Amino acid sequence: MYSVFIVKNIRELTCSLALICTLTLSMAEDQDIMEDFLKREYSLVTPYRGLGLSSSSLWDLKGTALVTADHVRLTPDHPGRQGAIWSRIPLLLLDWELKVHFKIHGQSKKMNGDGLAIWLTKERMQEGPVFGSRNEFTGLGVFVDTYPNTGNKNDRVFPHVSVMLGNGTLSYDHDNDGRPTELGGCSTKVRNAREDTFLLIKYTQNRLKVIIDVNGQQKNCLDISGLHLPKGYYLGASAATGELSDNHDIISMKLYELTVKRDPEEDLLIPWVDHSLGPFQGYHQCWVFGESIAPTANLIDMQRQKIY
């Protein structure tokens, strides 16, 4: 009887210690964040009064983007469409979190495309081949790609979320689903989801985290340290359809300012990623599903030339 009692207590103690360790790690991760505030001047929320029409609007519409009572439809479920929405005010915050409530849906069960992008870039309101926006952009692009352009050669599952950091000359390779220049990503079932879908983009102390939330289930998509973004870039969202199509809707984009203990940082001219550990380790702290991602040949060449 005593042995059973001891074993039971040991199990309970082990579970308690495991819970304490988990909570400690979680608290330590965000211990520098003191408070967060919703910044309405950078946010897109209902009601969308005068959106893209009045001079007092904080956002502009582009292409096929259409405002309804409860969402902004970037593209309808028709081929060959491009639409976008862009903030008129440059983002001047150092530490922030963006929560994007979106919906991708269509009539087809399997034949659909192309996807949407969330932007923080120097350029704005410029149409192009990257999910309805320009290529060779300067800044951050987070892509929700719903169509595999590489077909059966691709070893990933779609839809797929990926991140790219552009410097104004780097091109997104549409035919290869952006793989040569992506920093990392994850697969997720966001299309025709029964409940809400969210994309959480958090940037604090030169660390970028992307979390996808589908039907209330959160998934850590990627975590990159040593990523530097200049101030003064513009928030935006764009989408495109090709021969295949989907409805791409933005319901809200809520930007929170994070109050963080940090040292003053000098002004940046272009975005870049740390490569202080050597010319081949520019993305040594990029993790997806707990595994580090080795840079591709193109990224290695860029690091050698210090394009970033």
Side-chain angles (χ1 to χ4, degrees), residues 7-209:
V7 170
K8 182 178 180 182
N9 283 341
I10 291 176
R11 287 179 178 175
E12 291 178 353
L13 179 61
T14 302
C15 292
S16 299
L17 290 174
L19 178 60
I20 292 172
C21 290
T22 302
L23 292 174
T24 302
L25 289 172
S26 177
M27 293 173 62
E29 181 179 345
D30 294 326
Q31 64 181 347
D32 292 330
I33 299 177
M34 303 168 61
E35 205 164 4
D36 61 76
F37 304 91
L38 176 66
K39 305 296 288 186
R40 293 192 176 274
E41 63 268 34
Y42 301 120
S43 299
L44 174 70
V45 294
T46 56
Y48 314 116
R49 295 193 182 97
L51 180 62
L53 300 175
S54 69
S55 59
S56 61
S57 175
L58 300 178
W59 296 79
D60 284 320
L61 301 177
K62 186 74 173 176
T64 59
L66 178 67
V67 180
T68 73
D70 55 6
H71 63 263
V72 177
R73 177 151 295 171
L74 301 179
T75 71
D77 191 359
H78 298 296
R81 307 299 171 92
Q82 291 186 352
I85 183 168
W86 285 93
S87 173
R88 292 179 177 177
I89 304 176
L91 182 61
L92 301 177
L93 305 180
L94 286 175
D95 303 280
W96 47 267
E97 181 176 78
L98 180 64
K99 184 176 183 180
V100 182
H101 187 184
F102 70 99
K103 188 174 183 179
I104 301 176
H105 57 107
Q107 294 182 355
S108 175
K109 292 184 178 181
K110 294 183 178 181
M111 304 299 289
N112 59 277
D114 278 335
L116 63 81
I118 305 299
W119 303 99
L120 180 62
T121 57
K122 180 180 179 180
E123 308 83 9
R124 65 184 295 273
M125 296 292 287
Q126 298 183 27
E127 292 183 350
V130 186
F131 301 99
S133 191
R134 65 165 281 171
N135 208 339
E136 299 182 351
F137 57 88
T138 308
L140 180 69
V142 180
F143 310 128
V144 184
D145 192 350
T146 60
Y147 180 76
N149 291 287
T150 52
N152 295 330
K153 297 179 181 179
N154 211 318
D155 59 355
R156 63 177 46 162
V157 178
F158 282 74
H160 188 84
V161 178
S162 65
V163 171
M164 174 179 167
L165 193 67
N167 64 353
T169 61
L170 191 62
S171 292
Y172 176 87
D173 188 347
H174 183 269
D175 292 338
N176 289 297
D177 301 315
R179 301 191 89 175
T181 53
E182 74 171 34
L183 299 181
C186 66
S187 297
T188 178
K189 296 180 180 179
V190 295
R191 184 178 182 270
N192 284 340
R194 291 173 297 177
E195 300 180 21
D196 293 331
T197 51
F198 295 91
L199 192 62
L200 307 178
I201 306 170
K202 182 178 179 181
Y203 179 71
T204 177
Q205 295 180 319
N206 304 323
R207 181 180 181 182
L208 180 71
K209 297 178 67 176

Side-chain angles (χ1 to χ4, degrees), residues 205-223:
Q205 295 180 319
N206 304 323
R207 181 180 181 182
L208 180 71
K209 297 178 67 176
V210 176
I211 298 172
I212 192 75
D213 186 321
V214 182
N215 297 333
Q217 300 295 319
Q218 287 195 353
K219 181 178 184 179
N220 293 321
C221 196
L222 60 91
D223 188 342

